[in-house]
Amino acid sequence: MALMTSTLDSVIVVWHVAVNAGDADAAASACTEDVVMRGPQGTAHGRDEMRTWVGAAGIRLMPKEAYDVPGGIVVAQEATWPGREDFDANGTPAKLYTSFGLRDGSICGVYLFDSLEEARAYPMAA
């Protein structure tokens, strides 16, 4: 699948690489100090929360498509949780959609959705 944006912002690439490597410090460094994260377990704020999430999630995210939206980029991803039997034991990737808010060259928001429509409609401030 082709990316639907001229370029996947480099800070989002850095974040994906860090998350996939389980490198909590590098993932947090790609974010603003006040980064907001929203997912199925609620909302969290700050780099320390990002570090905690990356350290605990065990997730691997493969970007497949990206869409420019005002204030950020929406990325369609295939997600797997290697070694976590509480998720799909056969390793079939789940499709996730993340809206990334961007500010001053850093990620200021990471918002998880189940559909592309929800992710693209989410209001992000730059």
Side-chain angles (χ1 to χ4, degrees), residues 5-22:
T5 183
S6 57
T7 181
L8 188 55
D9 196 284
S10 61
V11 72
I12 296 174
V13 173
V14 167
W15 183 87
H16 275 88
V17 170
V19 168
N20 290 342

Side-chain angles (χ1 to χ4, degrees), residues 9 19-21 25 27 39 54 61 63 66 106 125:
D9 196 284
V19 168
N20 290 342
D25 288 330
V54 171
L61 297 166
S106 296

Side-chain angles (χ1 to χ4, degrees), residues 25-38:
D25 288 330
S29 293
C31 300
T32 60
E33 190 65 43
D34 62 345
V35 63
V36 177
M37 299 170 294
R38 196 198 83 178

